[in-house]
Amino acid sequence: MFFLRPTRVVIATLVGLSLLTGCQQQETSEQQNVIRPVKLFQVADPQQQQLRHFPGKVTATDEAEISFRIPGQIDQINVKQGDEVSKGQLLASLDDRDIRNELQDRQASYELAKVEFDRASSLLSKKVISQSSYDTASARLKSAEAALKLSRDRLAYSTLKAPFSGRVAQTLAEAHQQVQAQQPVMALQSNKQLDISIQVPESIVSHVNRQSLNGDYQPVATFPSAPGQTFPVSYKEHATRVTPGTQSYEAILTLPAPASLTILPGMTATVMIDLSQVLKPQEQSGFVLVPVSAVGRNDADNKTVVWLFEEATGQVKPVEVTTGRITEAGVQVSGINPGDQIVAAGLSQLYDGILVKPLRRERGL
């Protein structure tokens, strides 16, 4: 009995180790058989990736708040908000009774000064009056003429006319209201031409090739109120000062106001631009765009790779790539082809030959 106890202990130990080893092997086998769900990204054709969408805001090509140049009481406003007006059309007028009375007084003063000047000219030629008397009459005539011209201008300033053809966007004053000089009375917008303002990131602006720009190329705009319709737009101007709070620059595109659609300033639009028409040629070929999160480093050889999904086997393998510039749409890489499916996230959990399946979210999640 003394020699049997160690034997029993050894046997129990061996049995325990055998069971533990079996469990570990079973866990390892189960771990290898786990199919990991991954988010996949299908590489698009480079030409399709060059088509970019920019949100924009519609503005009027010409827009102004118009006002009287003199103070006074508004006698009448001849238009309403939304009315279309022509250049030179009367929009509003001030009560001009005081101005007209002043004009008559200055007209009389001018006529008197003119008579006195003519008399002084005649007397000077006969040497009846001195040169100083003649100069005094001449100065009075010029002063009366300037005062008369000023009164005529004030009378003209008592009416407000459209500086360009367009639409009355808003009236800012009422009839019989007292207004000051330069106080806005109404806002006027052009209605034949529209501008669209977009923000272009610096990553695109810095690679625009001015020498090879296609002058005939026109981007297109779409509007939420007209799904499926596109409208060609033309480049107008761009800012060289960055928009505050962003790393982008404002670009203005213009188009004729669509006859079949009512587009008003303040509405939204989307501008589609083919970057292959504006970027440098070397920025357009040899690369495809993929998400930044899809590019990583292989721990085995420290190479830059993406993980290519093989649909036939359900496995992924690392593929070495060369990276280009990073844009807000992703990073440029070469070494993979359009149509390839690569893992878009969670690269640290992958190894060569691991079984994966595409991650599909349930509807409503």
Side-chain angles (χ1 to χ4, degrees):
M1 296 297 293
F2 176 82
F3 295 101
L4 291 178
R5 289 181 180 176
T7 303
R8 291 177 179 175
V9 172
V10 171
I11 293 174
T13 302
L14 292 175
V15 171
L17 290 173
S18 177
L19 291 174
L20 180 60
T21 302
C23 290
Q24 290 176 343
Q25 290 176 347
Q26 184 177 359
E27 288 178 1
T28 303
S29 177
E30 290 177 355
Q31 203 171 33
Q32 291 177 346
N33 293 330
V34 170
I35 301 178
R36 183 179 298 278
V38 293
K39 182 180 179 181
L40 296 178
F41 172 82
Q42 185 166 7
V43 180
D45 185 90
Q47 293 301 320
Q48 295 179 353
Q49 290 181 322
Q50 292 294 326
L51 187 64
R52 296 291 303 280
H53 296 71
F54 298 89
K57 183 178 181 180
V58 178
T59 60
T61 299
D62 294 313
E63 183 172 1
E65 289 186 345
I66 54 179
S67 58
F68 292 102
R69 298 179 62 174
I70 59 174
Q73 184 180 26
I74 297 178
D75 183 42
Q76 59 181 353
I77 295 179
N78 300 348
V79 293
K80 303 184 299 298
Q81 295 181 147
D83 284 354
E84 294 189 1
V85 298
S86 303
K87 183 178 180 179
Q89 179 178 335
L90 180 64
L91 305 178
S93 59
L94 295 175
D95 185 345
D96 60 359
R97 287 174 297 180
D98 293 340
I99 299 175
R100 290 185 180 277
N101 292 335
E102 178 188 81
L103 178 60
Q104 290 181 358
D105 178 66
R106 292 186 175 180
Q107 178 70 37
S109 297
Y110 169 77
E111 292 174 356
L112 178 60
K114 182 70 169 60
V115 170
E116 291 178 348
F117 173 75
D118 292 342
R119 183 183 299 112
S121 298
S122 176
L123 294 176
L124 180 64
S125 64
K126 298 176 182 179
K127 301 186 182 300
V128 174
I129 62 173
S130 64
Q131 181 65 41
S132 62
S133 298
Y134 170 82
D135 292 342
T136 301
S138 177
R140 287 175 180 171
L141 176 62
K142 291 179 180 178
S143 177
E145 185 178 10
L148 177 61
K149 184 178 179 181
L150 182 60
S151 289
R152 288 173 177 169
D153 287 343
R154 282 174 54 81
L155 182 62
Y157 296 156
S158 67
T159 58
L160 195 61
K161 297 181 179 180
F164 53 83
S165 297
R167 181 186 294 111
V168 178
Q170 186 179 15
T171 54
L172 305 172
E174 301 291 338
H176 312 300
Q177 178 181 336
Q178 187 74 26
V179 293
Q180 300 300 316
Q182 310 303 327
Q183 178 181 336
V185 173
M186 62 184 66
L188 189 65
Q189 296 172 336
S190 59
N191 59 349
K192 301 299 182 184
Q193 199 77 10
L194 296 172
D195 289 347
I196 300 178
S197 170
I198 63 174
Q199 296 293 327
V200 182
E202 63 173 318
S203 58
I204 294 178
V205 174
S206 59
H207 291 85
V208 171
N209 185 14
R210 296 185 178 181
Q211 285 71 31
S212 62
L213 283 176
N214 184 356
D216 297 328
Y217 171 67
Q218 283 188 293
V220 295
T222 61
F223 301 96
S225 56
Q229 296 186 48
T230 59
F231 302 87
V233 296
S234 302
Y235 166 80
K236 182 180 180 181
E237 60 185 1
H238 70 278
T240 56
R241 175 182 291 183
V242 68
T243 302
T246 69
Q247 284 303 115
S248 60
Y249 297 82
E250 183 184 38
I252 305 295
L253 303 156
T254 186
L255 76 159
S260 60
L261 191 65
T262 300
I263 301 297
L264 300 176
M267 291 185 175
T268 59
T270 300
V271 177
M272 293 178 286
I273 301 178
D274 184 359
L275 296 184
S276 65
Q277 301 288 336
V278 298
L279 295 185
K280 298 176 183 178
Q282 60 266 30
E283 301 293 336
Q284 302 170 15
S285 58
F287 288 97
V288 293
L289 281 175
V290 301
V292 176
S293 58
V295 181
R297 291 218 174 249
N298 193 351
D299 294 335
D301 49 21
N302 202 33
K303 293 180 178 179
T304 303
V305 299
V306 298
W307 290 85
L308 183 65
F309 173 67
E310 297 177 333
E311 193 170 0
T313 62
Q315 297 177 332
V316 294
K317 65 176 183 180
V319 176
E320 184 179 2
V321 294
T322 302
T323 58
R325 64 186 183 91
I326 298 176
T327 73
E328 72 285 351
V331 59
Q332 291 181 332
V333 299
S334 62
I336 53 177
N337 302 311
D340 288 345
Q341 295 188 81
I342 60 175
V343 180
L347 307 187
S348 62
Q349 305 296 322
L350 303 179
Y351 55 85
D352 193 1
I354 185 175
L355 289 172
V356 299
K357 62 180 180 180
L359 176 63
R360 294 184 175 89
R361 294 184 179 276
E362 297 294 335
R363 182 175 297 178
L365 296 181

